[in-house]
Amino acid sequence: MLFIASVSTALAEESFHPLTVSYVENGETIKVKGTVTADGYHFNSQSKKTISLATLQWPPYIGESLCNKGWVFQHAVALLVRKGYRVNVHFFPWARAVRLVELGVMDILFPEYFIENTAPSDNIKGKRRRELLELSDPYPGGEISFLKRKAEQDNYQGNLENLIGEKIGVVRGYQNTPEFDAMMDAGLFDISESVDDLQLMKMLAAKRVNLIIGDPLVLRYTVEHSKLPEQDKAFILQETANVLPSLQYNHLYFAVSKKSKNWQQLLTDLNQGIAAFAQSGETSRIIKNGENCFNPNQF
């Protein structure tokens, strides 16, 4: 059995705040109650079509401390329950989540950015990630930008070639943009890896790197709602700034393991669900509800 380190906290929270995923179908609100165990979050337990999803703490999009676990969590569970699946969601550090899905231990990795065809796997030598994973159709995401220390200039100016040899921080296992990732894989940057977004922001503030790359909304949110002392939070947030222009807008995807049984049908069901939710306005409703949702015990 797979173990989630934060399960004791999650169990305590869920005993007071039952986890429910809701979606609208033909004008009717469908509510699906979930349960939490040492093996993850479970929905639609009566179904025999069981799938396991690996995800990460990535607020404000998704996270165990967020109200209703965030809109990306609600969106994923609603899509799959609507298609009749028994859904098990597990939170891991991102690199581990990637590994579990690439090896076929779990069926779906989410939320993922676009993976270019040449991206190498860190888990299976000689394999490309797209040989192991198939991407769904896209759904809404966010901007990808560099961040720098506010008092210092940057050389980016909209051209990645200006950054050859630059000290840049990335989260291990993250995709960013196809151009940046290809140049990184070619060894054109001086890369330092972090385990998560909070460590990445701390690396920048500590002058271990000159730039970091990611979704600024996530990076700042992670610092604001971390357990760092208030003075440390203030220092990091005040001393960092976005580098303009941003690199690009990144849609989000589900990445389906090609080792998963009936993965082609699972991919078809995901794509049909993404299209149906987008057409009906359900995706926008879920996002809006997530942005307006507040759990008094969230932080």
Side-chain angles (χ1 to χ4, degrees), residues 119-130:
S121 170
D122 292 331
N123 300 301
I124 302 180
K125 188 175 181 180
K127 288 286 188 179
R128 297 187 300 274
R129 296 196 68 204
R130 291 296 291 269

Side-chain angles (χ1 to χ4, degrees), residues 235-255:
F235 174 79
I236 293 173
L237 294 171
Q238 290 169 8
E239 294 300 315
T240 55
N242 289 17
V243 173
L244 298 176
S246 62
L247 279 79
Q248 67 180 36
Y249 179 91
N250 269 5
H251 285 90
L252 301 178
Y253 299 80
F254 296 97

Side-chain angles (χ1 to χ4, degrees), residues 32-35 42-50 81 84-88:
V32 184
K33 291 185 178 180
T35 58
H42 304 276
F43 297 84
N44 199 26
S45 58
Q46 68 272 20
S47 173
K48 294 182 179 180
K49 295 195 302 180
T50 301
V81 168
Y85 288 96
R86 176 178 179 173
V87 178
N88 300 332

Side-chain angles (χ1 to χ4, degrees), residues 262-273:
N262 299 322
W263 70 265
Q264 295 98 331
Q265 184 60 54
L266 177 54
L267 185 68
T268 296
D269 289 339
L270 282 167
N271 288 338
Q272 289 177 349

